[in-house]
Amino acid sequence: MAKANNEYNASSIKVLEGLEAVRVRPGMYIGSTSTRGLNHLIYEIVDNSVDEHLAGYCDSIWVTLEQDGSATVEDNGRGIPIDMHEKGVSAERVVFTTLHAGGKFDNKAYATSGGLHGVGSSVVNALSKHMTVDVKKDGSVFEDRYERGKPVMELVNGLLPAVGKARGTGTKINFLPDDTIFEKTRFKSDDIKSRLHETTYLNPNLTIYFEDKRNGSEEKAVFHEPEGISGFVKDLNKSDETVTDIIYYRGEYEHIQVEVAFQYIRDFREEILGFCNNIYNSEGGSHLTGFKTAFTQIINNYARELGTLKEKDANYTGADVRNGMTAVISIKHPDPRFEGQTKTKLDNPDAAKAVAQVTGDEAVHYFDRNLEQLKAVIECAERAAKIRKSEAKAKTNLLTKPKFSFDSNGKLANCESRDASKCEIFIVEGDSAGGSAKMARDRMYQAILPIRGKILNVEKASMDKVLANAEIKAMINAFGCGFSEGYGQDFDITKLRYDKIIIMADADVDGAHISTLLLTLFYRFMPDLIYQGHVYVAMPPLYKVVPKKKSEDGEYLYDDAALAKYRKSHTGFTLQRYKGLGEMDPQQLWETTLDPANRRLRQIQIDDGRMASEMTGLLMGTDVPPRREFIHAHATDAQLDV
Ligand code: TSJ
């Protein structure tokens, strides 16, 4: 008996050391301690219920953001096992206090769980100020509680007490993220909703009920997508002109289940989302590669059979064939492996084989019977190939011209330093602001490139027009790293001549429009500039206030909140509203917008593929209001660089 006790103590010490490690290095377990990591806590917990759904025992999940800042997740599955585990305590305790306890249960669902999936409940426990677990089974509710990962309830013979009566079965977890670990502790409801919604597309028999009970944001939503990934594609394309039906197929190859849905739109956009075991793979991976390879082959074969491609013609490229394609590829793999910077790239070579095999069988089966759909797909490829060829021509023309021989108005005032890590380039709208900026700048490190009027909307214009545009040429030349379209390899970020590319436009609707066009340009042709954090938007002040008392200094105010605050603490002052950059003299422009010590910059960030596609959608659409919303929404996430 004494021996058993010792053993129990020994193993429980080990457990606590394990959870302590999670608290010491939370980032290693949940990615980060920012809002993203915080939201991740909810996903870790919900994934357990999704596994229970996949095992065939749960069809509803309730996710509630509570008023006190905690989150509750409940399901109607079998309930976490609470009977005695070999370690001498309730199995539930083992789940919440052992790192990677998930695999211990011989549950078939875990045979296809994704990455950290289903094993994160102890991590969430370790990072929560408190956690309550309620398990409904056998007519009772059994409860357990933890604080910062440590159990705080006395167990009777190692088993959980019943705290009430219950009907049915299920699991409910309530937890409050530890504010000494997380930088921010307010869950972001939009991100959580979109992740939950995505989960229901991938699990068409599941319903997720979401409720936000927090003050000021009461909201309910129900997610249920019986059409599955076809419904996902339909919704991704909901504001586009489609040119094919939604094509869906599924199959299995060597114990890997493959499910694909895709549809073509008229726009020149490719969006292919990959999921493995219900987890989004933002860096793609072998399942996507397998699909792309097989699909390119299939379409080229058909195009030759139909005579669209003649003997002398080269094959369509992969990018041609996917021009206008929106696709969702979801596989279930018994042993997924991930690589890449964020471990979100599927690495299993057999996944490529499985998707290629199933696509080879099923897509051909479909196209053989739906010739008009096939013809619409080939038409998209043909349009892309045409443009690709004219691009290549335009590119040669561009590259044969000497660098820095600008057309009339793209006059770059370069900086003197050639140390790219210290240099900045301001893209300034308008000649007068451009002139002031040239006078005001720090000539050593700040370059000014004035551009005139609205640059071309690169999404609407064809490639040769884009490259013929003087402003765009000037920018490409100035940055020094070329550009790429689709999967082109011509962009070389190591040649970038400036650490910061700063868009400087008026703080009005037109300015926002110009910023959007520039961001679209960068995103389409030089996306790494954005991904690697080189692109910024300058935030000029909206107001200058000058106190009537001569002894006090004037101040620049950058937003309406600052003005409201100033009004509260000051009485006699004059208020000057800046309408545009052109109204500032060089000295003012330096003080407010150029001087690294005082200016405000907003760094443009794109987190992952989902965010990126949201951005493409918003930036490239035709309606102006959502674009403005995008800019403003992201202005609130601004990273100030002062
Ligand atoms: F609800 C929830 F999201 F908060 C949540 C649900 C959180 C966690 C950590 C787990 C669960 C959960 C677990 N829901 N359902 C289950 N099911 C099991 O763990 C279970 C039940 C029965 C059996 C069995 O073989 O009888 C096996 C397992 C794995």
Side-chain angles (χ1 to χ4, degrees), residues 557-578:
L557 302 176
Y558 290 81
D559 53 43
D560 286 313
L563 178 61
K565 198 167 157 210
Y566 192 89
R567 280 192 200 284
K568 282 198 186 123
S569 50
H570 296 78
T571 43
F573 61 89
T574 57
L575 177 68
Q576 183 189 348
R577 168 190 270 276
Y578 286 119

Side-chain angles (χ1 to χ4, degrees), residues 100-146:
H100 305 291
K104 295 260 156 63
F105 296 96
D106 205 20
N107 176 353
K108 238 179 92 212
Y110 288 114
T112 53
S113 79
L116 289 172
H117 205 193
V119 298
S121 29
S122 59
V123 171
V124 178
N125 189 19
L127 302 178
S128 295
K129 224 169 184 174
H130 54 74
M131 175 182 265
T132 305
V133 180
D134 287 296
V135 177
K136 285 196 290 185
K137 47 172 94 187
D138 307 329
S140 298
V141 183
F142 300 91
E143 189 163 276
D144 204 359
R145 289 175 202 254
Y146 302 87

Side-chain angles (χ1 to χ4, degrees), residues 45-46 48-49 52 73-75 77-81 95-96 105 107 110 121 137 171-173:
I45 295 297
V46 169
N48 291 281
S49 299
E52 184 72 354
V73 181
E74 181 169 7
D75 70 33
R78 290 167 294 179
I80 298 182
V95 169
F96 286 98
F105 296 96
N107 176 353
Y110 288 114
S121 29
K137 47 172 94 187
T171 306
K172 180 163 90 176
I173 313 280

